[in-house]
Amino acid sequence: MRAFARRANISASYVSMLEKGDINPSVKLAISLDRDLAANGGLLTAFVADAIEHRNVPSDTPIHQDGFVPTLVTDNAGDEDGEDATNRRQMLRLAGAAAMGTVIDDEATRRRLNDAMGAHRSLDEWSTAHEDHLHALRTRPPAQVAHDLSIDLDTLSRQIELAKGSELVELHRVTALLAAIQANAFTRLAQHGTALRWWETARWAADASRDLDIRLLVRAEEAGHGLYGQRSPQSVLRLLTEAEHLAGERPMLDLAAIKAKALSKLGRHAEAEAALRRMTDLADQGARGDTQGFWTPSQVYFSQSWVYAAMGKEEPAARAREEVLRLTSSYVYETNIQLHAAWAAIVSGGVEQGASQAATAIAAVPEQFRTVHVLETARMTLRAVPIEHRTRPAVGELRAILADSA
């Protein structure tokens, strides 16, 4: 940190305050830090997103570029500090453009061309877009997913404004699916407030579509991702109860799986195991998850791995993990089942082994893939350590790597 502070020509204490979120950098400093850290615009993207969300920054301010630093085009007079406060707020919105440069210009050009040609995506093309974004969610950094999806969501919103009749209803279905993916991406980024608003949009769109399958899918996804620090387990169970009421007599495999994990998180292990049996029975009877690609067969075994790990039942947890590995290549699942193994070891009394295993699993994950789903699972693993063992070296190592990843 001190070495970086020297390179950036600021104090180490100032770097520390930036890192903790105690202060916000200026536009010039944000640009400088992005360059010095070789973040290729990533830091500025986060900087601008934060500004848009928290500082009421307008989206249509004209600027010109003076070298690397964007300069506001304005006739406003300066304030008592010699700089107009409105100008500063507007520049926050535009800071990312300095680093994104040709990428942003290229996207604006593409949109103008599409508008000029009257481009209109068919429902089949929107279906392909949904599949593409879902694949990206499982294989790419969530920040990239959220950025790319936001472009399609903008296009979708403009198409909805012109749609009528059956096409409008179908576009509501598309909106529900894409909004659910966006909510998932923001959940992974720990931007829970933004994620909750996208879950709300997904629910509204699903209800507007009048498609029961989509309505249940969105509610199941919202409940399941809520378990990763976004909601309390009690709130998740209330969401599940509402979804079950909506489902009526329809067997819902994903709802049973999520309920098992929520009960496990509350320490209600007997009820969680009973929910697992219900889930397994439904699977044996031929029940399947959604038809939109969100649910995968590995989730049955992932739920078993979670619940048995929390109970310290290492053998059934290990069998479930083998099935997960056989069925999926998701980076989240692959990391989390390693954490489940560590969790099970800790609950069974192998604190040093489990803590060391968990720390190794997290350290092996590139930072851009250390999502909430991974880190919250590691925190559940850490919370399983008995109080009297929390001063052990391996436990300290796990705690330190989690602090660094926060």
Side-chain angles (χ1 to χ4, degrees):
M1 185 178 292
R2 285 192 296 270
F4 173 71
R6 286 193 298 271
R7 189 165 70 248
N9 197 30
I10 55 178
S11 69
S13 61
Y14 193 85
V15 175
S16 178
M17 287 188 288
L18 286 170
E19 183 184 50
K20 293 175 182 176
D22 294 335
I23 57 174
N24 293 310
S26 67
V27 175
K28 283 188 176 182
L29 180 58
I31 292 170
S32 175
L33 294 177
D34 187 277
R35 181 178 56 233
D36 291 343
L37 289 166
N40 297 318
L43 185 71
L44 280 170
T45 300
F47 177 80
V48 172
D50 176 76
I52 292 170
E53 182 174 358
H54 298 296
R55 301 175 217 171
N56 298 317
V57 178
S59 59
D60 55 352
T61 307
I63 62 167
H64 69 266
Q65 298 260 132
D66 181 12
F68 192 67
V69 182
T71 304
L72 186 68
V73 178
T74 177
D75 295 326
N76 294 340
D79 59 15
E80 66 277 8
D81 296 324
E83 181 181 9
D84 189 286
T86 301
N87 294 0
R88 291 198 301 269
R89 289 194 298 272
Q90 290 171 332
M91 284 183 70
L92 289 171
R93 171 65 179 88
L94 300 161
M100 297 302 200
T102 57
V103 175
I104 289 180
D105 289 344
D106 180 72
E107 176 56 30
T109 301
R110 188 191 66 82
R111 288 185 183 183
R112 286 196 299 271
L113 282 171
N114 282 355
D115 290 342
M117 293 185 296
H120 183 91
R121 282 192 185 178
S122 69
L123 294 174
D124 285 343
E125 288 172 326
W126 278 118
S127 178
T128 299
H130 145 245
E131 293 169 359
D132 290 343
H133 288 299
L134 196 56
H135 172 72
L137 187 69
R138 291 167 176 160
T139 58
R140 297 173 194 159
Q144 179 184 344
V145 176
H147 174 267
D148 293 343
L149 182 50
S150 68
I151 296 171
D152 273 358
L153 286 166
D154 179 68
T155 301
L156 177 60
S157 69
R158 288 185 288 170
Q159 188 166 333
I160 286 174
E161 289 176 357
L162 302 175
K164 296 179 181 178
S166 60
E167 183 191 14
L168 180 59
V169 173
E170 288 300 313
L171 289 179
H172 286 319
R173 295 178 74 256
V174 173
T175 301
L177 296 172
L178 293 185
I181 296 174
Q182 190 73 321
N184 186 327
F186 279 115
T187 298
R188 295 179 186 223
L189 291 169
Q191 296 186 28
H192 294 303
T194 303
L196 289 171
R197 291 188 286 276
W198 276 109
W199 288 125
E200 183 178 59
T201 297
R203 270 187 281 112
W204 286 347
D207 291 344
S209 77
R210 301 190 294 275
D211 185 323
L212 181 58
D213 288 339
I214 300 297
R215 296 175 72 193
L216 291 171
L217 162 64
V218 166
R219 284 162 169 81
E221 286 291 300
E222 181 178 8
H225 293 288
L227 286 173
Y228 292 92
Q230 193 167 93
R231 286 188 161 101
S232 69
Q234 294 90 340
S235 294
V236 170
L237 287 173
R238 284 195 293 272
L239 288 173
L240 291 172
T241 298
E242 293 171 9
E244 288 169 344
H245 179 74
L246 183 63
E249 297 298 317
R250 178 183 300 202
M252 296 296 297
L253 193 60
D254 45 359
L255 297 182
I258 298 163
K259 178 176 281 189
K261 291 185 284 189
L263 291 167
S264 173
K265 201 167 183 183
L266 287 169
R268 293 159 59 177
H269 299 303
E271 294 173 79
E273 198 166 16
L276 278 187
R277 289 194 292 272
R278 167 68 175 159
M279 176 194 69
T280 303
D281 289 344
L282 289 173
D284 290 344
Q285 292 164 16
R288 294 293 179 266
D290 70 272
T291 59
Q292 303 298 325
F294 286 77
W295 173 271
T296 62
S298 63
Q299 290 174 252
V300 169
Y301 302 106
F302 184 83
S303 298
Q304 292 175 342
S305 175
W306 174 317
V307 171
Y308 289 133
M311 297 174 71
K313 293 189 172 183
E314 294 187 273
E315 289 188 11
R319 289 195 295 271
R321 290 196 301 274
E322 289 176 3
E323 292 300 314
V324 173
L325 283 175
R326 183 176 66 84
L327 293 168
T328 187
S329 58
S330 164
Y331 71 89
V332 172
Y333 276 18
E334 289 180 349
T335 302
N336 276 7
I337 60 169
Q338 294 178 54
L339 293 170
H340 289 175
W343 190 0
I346 288 170
V347 175
S348 299
V351 172
E352 281 285 328
Q353 171 197 342
S356 178
Q357 187 174 348
T360 300
I362 296 296
V365 179
E367 288 192 13
Q368 67 268 34
F369 288 103
R370 293 184 191 178
T371 67
V372 158
H373 296 74
V374 169
L375 297 178
E376 181 60 23
T377 304
R379 292 186 191 104
M380 289 190 289
T381 302
L382 180 60
R383 288 194 288 269
V385 176
I387 293 175
E388 62 271 20
H389 294 294
R390 292 183 182 175
T391 57
R392 291 193 175 191
V395 177
E397 179 187 0
L398 175 56
R399 189 181 296 109
I401 199 167
L402 281 173
D404 289 342
S405 301

